[in-house]
Amino acid sequence: MIKQLLRIVAGKSNCFSCVPASEEWTALFFAAVRQGIAAYLFSGVERLPSDQRPPLECLMDWAAIADYVEQRNRKLNGLCVKVHDAFKREGAKVCLLKGQGMGMCYPHPLRRDFGDIDIWMAGGKQHVETFVGSKFKEASVGDGSHHVSFVMDDVDVEVHHTPATLYNPLHNRRLQHFFEAEEAAQWDTMVQLSGQSEKVCVPTMKFNLVYILVHLFHHWAFEGCGLKQLIDYSWLLATTELDDDVRKTVVKQLKALGLGNFLAAVMAVLEDIGVDACHLLCAPNRQLGKALWQDVLYTGLVTAEDLSTGKFAQENKRSRFVRRLKRAIRVLPLAPSELPWMLARNVWVWVRWNAFKN
């Protein structure tokens, strides 16, 4: 049912193949919430004929979530402008990564589920950490890998000195070279977020086609991604007019990063939920796509809240390590050259923690 409703939102269908029962609507609603796409799917609910809509109580709950997400996105859009302008006034080069900028690809931008604010700042690791630390006294280096974070108006803001990393050293080096080669073009694309009069800087489409896929992979490989990340990529593709040269360049880059299988699996899923074949980057792999779809539905988006206070909060370090190890082995075929390095890193962290914890 969730796949049918996704196709309805994408405009590929106007109704369900059969009328959902009340308990099916309840299950669909909770699945949408868990996947972080409840507000997004409400646009599909609104398009349904009256005899196929959910029971009134479910409908009201759904409408309330959609309204809350819209209000929260308006606040975040204003905060994005505030953060962007604060950095620009200090002479920093910054652009907005994913998040609110990705919402601009959606047919209803305010119904993309919100998160924190991520920006990329030029200058390298030391410069970014020093700059942010001097301006925001509560700034934290976080995991120490590629961003510094602080809180503004109860919203987490992450300032990246590099947009993303990969586990495989060779692939990560290639990814960083790609960012370096594309960096100069990332400070000039300005967009106006919903409800805002001032513009903010966002990455180019070519950059996002690589970066968002890498970000999606990182979510999926480490803990699990939700449909929210896949829908981001679907609308990025659906709203991008690509010539053959750019398409070939993007696919070549992603394959060089060891993500060829994962890309083909993503293409299969996106075609199933309504992306036209002409917008796909490469031929879909339906077998891998089925495995990815099943994993996304089963695992869903694992958030920091799940790890700190939610369903995984009671895990000790050993059980969390074992769970991640089992997951990496299970999903290995989708990224055979990347996931072993993730396993090696996790093993090293585990050994280091146990050998030097005292």
Side-chain angles (χ1 to χ4, degrees), residues 28-80:
L28 180 56
F29 172 73
F30 284 111
V33 172
R34 185 168 63 88
Q35 294 285 343
I37 57 172
Y40 174 78
L41 286 183
F42 187 67
S43 298
V45 173
E46 290 178 317
R47 296 187 61 186
L48 291 170
S50 58
D51 63 332
Q52 288 199 349
R53 290 191 176 184
L56 182 59
E57 183 178 356
C58 181
L59 184 63
M60 296 300 290
D61 287 342
W62 219 319
I65 287 181
D67 183 64
Y68 173 73
V69 169
E70 289 181 10
Q71 291 183 40
R72 184 70 174 177
N73 275 324
R74 290 188 181 95
K75 175 183 177 179
L76 283 174
N77 284 350
L79 192 57
C80 283

